[in-house]
Amino acid sequence: MSTNNLHSSNLPGRHRLGRVWLVVFQVALVVGVVALCALLFNILNGSFGYVAVQDKVNPATLAVDGVPLEELDKDTLIQVLQANISAGLMARYEFDKPFAERDAGEVYDLILERVVAPEFVAQWSLYESLTNAGEVRATAAQEYPEARLEFRSWLNWHFLRAPQSSYPEIAGVRTAVLGSLWTISIAVLFAFPVGVAAAVYLQEYAPDNLINRIIQTNITNLAGVPSIIYGILGLAIFVRALGAFTSGIAFGVTDPATANGRTILSAGLTLGMLVLPLIIINAQEAIKAVPSSLRQASYGLGATRWETVWHHVLPNAMAGIMTGTILAISRAIGETAPLIVIGASTFIQVDPEGPFSKFTTLPIQIYQWTARPQSVFRNLAGGASLVLLGLLLTMNATAIILRNRYRRSQ
Amino acid sequence: MSDTAQATASLNGAAILSKDLSIYYGDFQAVRDVNLDIQTNRITAIIGPSGCGKSTVLRAFNRMNELIPSVNTKGEVLFRGENIYAPDVDPVEVRRRIGMVFQKPNPFPKSVYENVAWGARINGHKGNLDELVHSSLKAAALWDEVKDKLDQSGLSLSGGQQQRLCIARTIAVRPDIILMDEPCSALDPIATLRIEELMRDLAKEFTIIIVTHNMQQAARVSDRTAFFSLSEDGKRAGMLMEYGDTKTMFTRPEKKITEDYITGRFG
Ligand SMILES: Nc1ncnc2c1ncn2[C@@H]1O[C@H](COP(=O)(O)OP(=O)(O)OP(=O)(O)O)[C@@H](O)[C@H]1O
Ligand SMILES: [Mg+2]
């Protein structure tokens, strides 16, 4: 090829530079993937593995007339239970829910929980359990001769359904999951309409003047404020100043388990404040992306501003607004610090009943379990982390499906 | 057109009359002292070099400029003898009476039917919507092509069909005047010819003002032509240079600058 002396076309050098950058990009990708794998490994490592379980009473000894425990009928099961626990405890169970209303399975569960009372005496990580099963078995046999070795998934049906408990054997995440769902729902119910309305105002109505520019800058900056600050804000406003409302006293409803404004409502509103700037900014971007030719077409037909916004701008921005909201919710569902500040309960066993109940949430539950000295709670935390991730994925998937359906119907 | 409109129109012969119309973008004067009378049921072409303010003037005729925050309009635009910039005039009403078709076809991302029906519906149309959609699409010479796909998206049509859909949508709200800003510039010659034929038909019922860069189009389609150009004092403000019958303009223009532009020696 002919060359002229105007260009010092160092083509091989330029290609080399390109290859160097390509390698940089690939390395960056690998780092990201490794970090992700490490995260997954860490969670899975704690969520599955061998446990040594030791029963207080061997279930075989509870057989009646040679019929094993699990095949007994309800009445016999009640007798077994009665024979093994105190009369006071028996009366409490009767009070909680009369035995006449319980089925055989429930009574059997009570016997397992109270009489057989299996205890986790040792547990191993997934990695150990898979790579070193022989040694695990040997150790277990040597150190806990009376225990049996089970491969356990810490994430299981019981774990999802059972309330919080200080016994790791029967503890579950039900209270925390319900608490998370409640707070997130309230946060979204509050922040979505307010955020979208604010975004519509800023994008479609607000004149470009100093005040509006200051407001805009503030919203942008608020999105970056650390969440603990929102916690302090929530504590001051929702828990303290508006305590009469957030505890339900002002409405004449007081939850028996209420705690002076440290309720689901306060938590939901605090999370709502936290995600509000995110929702506003994302909704603004989505509204900006609606082509101005659409607005012109609408105005050109004699539509008012409101008609233009309602019939054209919002429907066309909705997919983007929803995406932004999903991102915001994903952030909120994992928030721990602000909820601790406004006073999430550290230990509650009763399901939240409404916005005025005390609450705990999944990330708080995880945090508490990891902070416990007994190593078995770390496995519970691993299981709860899986639940949290699952919850997040489900919500995202639902939102994406909703969004795609919306797009198609457009 | 209503009887009163007919009466007013025949009284002064002008559908739109601008008096000393000047338009500013911030401090920049884009259009200076335009005095123009647009005649009823005629097609008026606005021609002129790029940047001379044709679109700006056109948008001033239905107050679309107000959607641009920095715009400032001085002077008067009389529509049926009434200044549309008077304080008590609602721009929404002005835009229903004076519709607009844009350079790039911009149907709504809705069904063909909804595209036509929407404007009429929000404006409180009382008659039968199906009939209105039918007659508007027929008037826009589009009915035969879309009668089987009324519930398909307006965006699924070809460019030329989309532009005719936009015209149908504009007709459906029964304006008196239709403003068209380079309506054919995104279309191929055949689609362009169809729109031109359509305009001739529509002129029986509507007053049409069309901005175009295409001299042949202006000559073919319009009754009157307004030639705009930039002022020669260095301020680059758009001014009305010559205005008259299209035939006269294209055969015996009064001004040298008009002749230069029309014959392509300028621009
Ligand atoms: N939104 C705007 N903000 C600021 N200045 C503008 C705006 N729109 C147009 N102008 C300016 O006003 C002048 C006239 O513009 P206009 O669009 O009316 O010209 P035009 O004759 O339609 O040109 P073209 O033939 O290229 O479409 C130009 O100098 C342009 O830069
Ligand atoms: Mg233009």
Side-chain angles (χ1 to χ4, degrees):
Chain A
M1 228 178 285
S2 75
T3 49
N4 61 40
N5 43 17
L6 276 178
H7 304 110
S8 63
S9 142
N10 175 17
L11 207 46
R14 284 153 63 194
H15 280 310
R16 211 176 310 121
L17 189 64
R19 276 193 298 273
V20 169
W21 278 107
L22 179 62
V23 170
V24 171
F25 297 147
Q26 283 167 337
V27 168
L29 181 70
V30 169
V31 170
V33 170
V34 166
L36 202 65
C37 290
L39 176 84
L40 273 181
F41 172 79
N42 190 31
I43 293 176
L44 293 178
N45 200 29
S47 312
F48 303 93
Y50 279 118
V51 282
V53 190
Q54 193 165 336
D55 296 332
K56 207 155 76 186
V57 175
N58 186 342
T61 64
L62 294 173
V64 178
D65 302 334
V67 185
L69 190 65
E70 54 269 28
E71 286 167 25
L72 293 174
D73 60 29
K74 181 178 157 192
D75 292 330
T76 331
L77 282 173
I78 293 176
Q79 284 163 16
V80 171
L81 185 64
Q82 208 157 15
N84 286 285
I85 63 175
S86 70
L89 194 56
M90 198 67 193
R92 209 187 88 200
Y93 285 141
E94 176 70 26
F95 177 78
D96 284 349
K97 185 177 180 186
F99 279 98
E101 289 172 21
R102 300 181 191 242
D103 60 27
E106 286 174 78
V107 183
Y108 178 75
D109 284 345
L110 277 183
I111 295 179
L112 276 193
E113 185 184 324
R114 280 293 156 175
V115 184
V116 178
E119 190 189 340
F120 299 145
V121 284
Q123 58 283 328
W124 290 268
S125 70
L126 178 62
Y127 181 74
E128 284 174 306
S129 306
L130 291 182
T131 56
N132 227 343
E135 198 172 309
V136 169
R137 246 175 247 125
T139 324
Q142 193 181 9
E143 292 183 20
Y144 313 100
E146 287 176 22
R148 71 200 124 83
L149 198 64
E150 279 177 5
F151 190 86
R152 181 177 171 87
S153 160
W154 293 88
L155 171 66
N156 54 48
W157 190 230
H158 173 84
F159 186 66
L160 291 175
R161 278 187 324 168
Q164 158 76 299
S165 163
S166 47
Y167 299 104
E169 293 78 15
I170 55 168
V173 288
R174 175 199 177 101
T175 340
V177 169
L178 287 175
S180 277
L181 291 178
W182 268 103
T183 45
I184 284 298
S185 308
I186 289 177
V188 172
L189 282 181
F190 162 65
F192 184 77
V194 174
V196 174
V200 166
Y201 177 78
L202 286 172
Q203 245 9 83
E204 299 289 316
Y205 289 84
D208 184 22
N209 58 26
L210 188 65
I211 298 177
N212 286 319
R213 248 174 294 168
I214 291 174
I215 293 177
Q216 180 71 63
T217 315
N218 270 316
I219 290 175
T220 315
N221 285 326
L222 276 179
V225 167
S227 55
I228 191 126
I229 312 277
Y230 280 98
I232 293 168
L233 182 78
L235 181 67
I237 298 181
F238 300 125
V239 178
R240 301 256 159 82
L242 299 176
F245 296 96
T246 51
S247 62
I249 293 170
F251 310 102
V253 253
T254 34
D255 199 283
T258 195
N260 306 327
R262 297 165 185 276
T263 56
I264 283 187
L265 186 58
S266 297
L269 292 176
T270 305
L271 288 186
M273 301 266 287
L274 177 81
V275 296
L276 189 58
L278 291 176
I279 292 186
I280 295 179
I281 292 171
N282 284 311
Q284 275 186 287
E285 289 304 321
I287 290 172
K288 254 187 234 168
V290 175
S292 66
S293 63
L294 263 186
R295 292 184 184 83
Q296 288 179 358
S298 172
Y299 286 124
L301 286 173
T304 61
R305 195 181 288 248
W306 160 249
E307 286 158 348
T308 304
V309 167
W310 184 251
H311 291 276
H312 300 296
V313 177
L314 275 184
N316 283 287
M318 204 34 92
I321 293 178
M322 289 217 207
T323 316
T325 309
I326 301 166
L327 288 176
I329 294 176
S330 307
R331 171 161 181 211
I333 205 168
E335 277 301 341
T336 324
L339 298 186
I340 291 179
V341 173
I342 68 160
S345 306
T346 42
F347 186 83
I348 47 171
Q349 285 175 295
V350 286
D351 290 348
E353 281 174 353
F356 306 121
S357 298
K358 287 198 293 192
F359 71 98
T360 189
T361 65
L362 261 179
I364 290 176
Q365 182 76 81
I366 294 171
Y367 167 70
Q368 281 158 2
W369 275 338
T370 46
R372 295 281 285 254
Q374 303 95 317
S375 66
V376 60
F377 283 103
R378 280 199 279 288
N379 297 95
L380 289 180
S385 305
L386 279 184
V387 177
L388 182 58
L389 288 182
L391 200 61
L392 207 67
L393 288 180
T394 322
M395 289 178 92
N396 284 4
T398 326
I400 288 170
I401 290 169
L402 272 180
R403 189 186 71 191
N404 289 347
R405 190 162 293 166
Y406 204 95
R407 228 175 235 167
R408 220 169 300 129
S409 71
Q410 264 287 298
Chain B
M1 193 189 289
S2 69
D3 292 345
T4 45
Q6 207 97 49
T8 335
S10 54
L11 255 179
N12 47 28
I16 284 189
L17 190 72
S18 78
K19 285 190 184 163
D20 297 333
L21 179 66
S22 291
I23 304 161
Y24 301 79
Y25 291 102
D27 293 333
F28 170 65
Q29 182 172 27
V31 171
R32 183 190 297 165
D33 292 338
V34 170
N35 290 290
L36 191 62
D37 62 308
I38 304 288
Q39 298 194 344
T40 305
N41 286 28
R42 294 280 177 278
I43 301 180
T44 306
I46 298 182
I47 59 171
S50 188
C52 70
K54 304 180 295 294
S55 302
T56 306
V57 166
L58 198 69
R59 288 198 303 263
F61 288 166
N62 70 344
R63 295 186 65 170
M64 285 291 272
N65 274 332
E66 276 157 62
L67 302 177
I68 305 164
S70 65
V71 167
N72 193 0
T73 308
K74 297 241 166 68
E76 290 185 350
V77 174
L78 302 183
F79 166 62
R80 298 158 153 215
E82 196 188 351
N83 181 13
I84 62 170
Y85 284 92
D88 58 335
V89 172
D90 186 346
V92 173
E93 178 61 16
V94 169
R95 293 184 201 126
R96 193 199 57 79
R97 297 287 197 73
I98 307 175
M100 191 153 198
V101 176
F102 300 84
Q103 177 169 3
K104 230 180 108 223
N106 57 351
F108 298 125
K110 298 173 185 285
S111 69
V112 171
Y113 183 97
E114 263 310 296
N115 261 284
V116 182
W118 187 77
R121 194 183 297 128
I122 56 156
N123 280 297
H125 178 78
K126 291 207 198 70
N128 183 333
L129 268 185
D130 290 355
E131 257 165 39
L132 179 75
V133 170
H134 178 231
S135 64
S136 304
L137 285 171
K138 259 213 137 91
L142 188 60
W143 174 255
D144 290 334
E145 288 157 71
V146 300
K147 60 173 185 266
D148 298 324
K149 27 184 172 176
L150 289 179
D151 47 4
Q152 277 182 27
S153 168
L155 295 173
S156 65
L157 304 180
S158 76
Q161 289 173 330
Q162 288 188 13
Q163 196 61 301
R164 274 178 283 149
L165 180 62
C166 293
I167 293 174
R169 157 179 94 180
T170 307
I171 301 171
V173 301
R174 302 266 130 227
D176 297 335
I177 301 173
I178 302 177
L179 312 173
M180 298 184 171
D181 194 349
E182 303 183 40
C184 303
S185 64
L187 307 181
D188 69 76
I190 302 205
T192 300
L193 276 181
R194 293 210 63 168
I195 303 247
E196 287 178 11
E197 277 168 29
L198 173 60
M199 284 167 61
R200 295 256 49 126
D201 274 348
L202 293 175
K204 293 177 193 132
E205 224 183 315
F206 303 94
T207 304
I208 297 177
I209 309 175
I210 172 176
V211 168
T212 178
H213 274 143
N214 181 333
M215 290 308 114
Q216 285 84 22
Q217 181 169 61
R220 272 194 305 261
V221 84
S222 72
D223 303 301
R224 293 172 70 78
T225 299
F227 171 64
F228 280 73
S229 190
L230 294 169
S231 68
E232 270 143 10
D233 56 7
K235 295 207 179 113
R236 304 186 66 78
M239 298 174 73
L240 177 61
M241 291 296 174
E242 191 168 343
Y243 180 44
D245 269 355
T246 301
K247 267 211 193 85
T248 328
M249 281 273 273
F250 277 84
T251 47
R252 284 170 279 114
E254 271 169 27
K255 293 193 181 164
K256 176 87 172 49
I257 183 173
T258 315
E259 187 180 352
D260 286 350
Y261 182 74
I262 289 174
T263 52
R265 263 171 281 161
F266 171 102

